[in-house]
Amino acid sequence: MADAITDLTRVIFLCTPNNPTGTVLHTDEVEEFLARVPEDVIAVMDEAYCHFNRGASAVDGLTLLDDHPNVVVLRAFSKAYGLAGLRIGFAISNTEISDDLRRVATPFTVTSLAQQAAIASLAAEDELNERVQQIVTERTRVFDELTRQGWPVRPSQANFFWLATGDGTDRIDEVLTSRGVFARCWSGEGIRLSIGSPAENHRAIGALSEAKA
């Protein structure tokens, strides 16, 4: 990506944990990358799934802001907070960038209900952490089961897994759908399987076992 930067480059997006793979970027590699990004190019860190990240060396975009004024960190209430239908998130950046964002933002894009829900959710961090930990625990269980079944699945730091199913993607997705398991399918490439409740995960594991047979 650094090699692709030209005089026309204005914004670069880094997604960590990445969607749909669940992989993370690490502090050392991001620092090395940012050293090659011109100061007038905005580097946006999309960290919508950061609550599920347990990677010890994974980058935390907030720690970059003091030394890199061209960095913007995006986070969301859609994932761990469970407010997806309300479409609310936030950006953290230096004051100059924040002022520019306000100048071009569409008025009233966030409803008063969404704002109230977001503020209320910030007062329930204990419940949030408990819910996130349950997902992380289930994530480990599902990963172990899918690995045992022989699926091409990599460790994930998000609340989903990426199955690189290639040409068999459509067939596998049909098996999942027929068993009441609805995942995100990219035909010919792979499937993103989200972590749900223990019962939902058990059903997904069973469906994938059948698809593997």
Side-chain angles (χ1 to χ4, degrees), residues 146 149-152 163-193 203-213:
L146 297 187
Q149 290 181 13
W151 287 101
L163 302 178
T165 47
D167 294 338
T169 298
D170 291 341
R171 178 191 64 80
I172 296 166
D173 186 54
E174 288 179 2
V175 175
L176 293 176
T177 302
S178 70
R179 296 296 179 265
V181 178
F182 299 94
R184 290 292 303 276
C185 172
W186 283 263
S187 182
E189 296 187 35
I191 295 172
R192 193 191 74 176
L193 179 70
R203 184 163 68 246
I205 290 170
L208 285 168
S209 178
E210 179 180 334
K212 191 69 174 177

Side-chain angles (χ1 to χ4, degrees), residues 8-75:
L8 298 178
T9 305
R10 293 293 177 264
V11 180
I12 299 169
F13 280 86
L14 304 176
C15 186
T16 179
N18 187 53
N19 181 14
T21 61
T23 51
V24 293
L25 299 174
H26 301 94
T27 302
D28 55 352
E29 61 186 348
V30 173
E31 289 280 9
E32 182 180 348
F33 172 75
L34 290 175
R36 300 180 59 190
V37 176
E39 293 182 357
D40 61 344
V41 174
I42 302 299
V44 180
M45 305 286 295
D46 183 345
E47 298 185 341
Y49 300 94
C50 64
H51 288 86
F52 307 102
N53 179 20
R54 295 295 185 270
S57 60
V59 67
D60 179 348
L62 299 182
T63 66
L64 303 173
L65 296 175
D66 288 342
D67 294 330
H68 301 281
N70 59 330
V71 168
V72 177
V73 178
L74 302 183
R75 295 191 175 180

Side-chain angles (χ1 to χ4, degrees), residues 91-125:
I92 304 175
S93 66
N94 69 52
T95 305
E96 182 179 353
I97 294 177
S98 295
D99 289 343
D100 287 340
L101 288 173
R102 291 188 181 95
R103 290 189 183 97
V104 299
T106 304
F108 312 117
T109 54
V110 176
T111 67
S112 59
L113 176 61
Q115 293 181 57
Q116 293 174 31
I119 292 171
S121 68
L122 291 175
E125 289 291 319

